[in-house]
């Protein structure tokens, strides 16, 4: 799932996500689209930190994201 736009003040931006990143997994769950991401996030409580695998410019990075209420 690719990030096509990102608000610079969003929780995702604060976690280190950038426009053009490809989200591969969240806590080991493969992400193909926004529905997959939403379902994966619903498995975690607000305030919990989760790990995301992100592909950027040919490299794979592990980022931590704190789940927020949407």
């Amino acid at each position: 799932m690719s990030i096509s736009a990102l608000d610079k003040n969003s929780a995702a931006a604060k976690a280190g996500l950038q426009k053009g990143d490809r989200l591969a997994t969240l806590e080991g769950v493969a992400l193909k689209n926004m529905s997959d991401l939403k379902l994966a996030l619903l498995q975690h409580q607000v305030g919990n930190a989760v790990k995301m695998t992100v592909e950027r410019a040919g490299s794979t990075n592990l980022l931590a994201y704190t789940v927020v209420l949407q």
Side-chain angles (χ1 to χ4, degrees):
M1 179 189 133
S2 293
I3 304 294
S4 59
L6 192 64
D7 181 332
K8 67 180 181 178
N9 295 317
S10 68
K14 291 175 183 174
L17 288 173
Q18 299 176 6
K19 183 179 175 181
D21 284 352
R22 183 184 167 283
L23 291 178
T25 67
L26 186 130
E27 289 293 324
V29 176
L31 303 173
K32 297 176 187 165
N33 53 47
M34 185 60 84
S35 293
D36 288 348
L37 176 60
K38 288 178 181 179
L39 287 172
L41 286 171
L42 286 172
Q43 303 305 310
H44 303 279
Q45 293 182 338
V46 171
N48 285 359
V50 295
K51 294 177 183 160
M52 299 182 292
T53 304
V54 178
E55 296 172 1
R56 178 185 300 153
S59 64
T60 301
N61 303 290
L62 187 63
L63 298 178
Y65 172 78
T66 302
V67 178
V68 295
L69 186 62
Q70 293 291 319

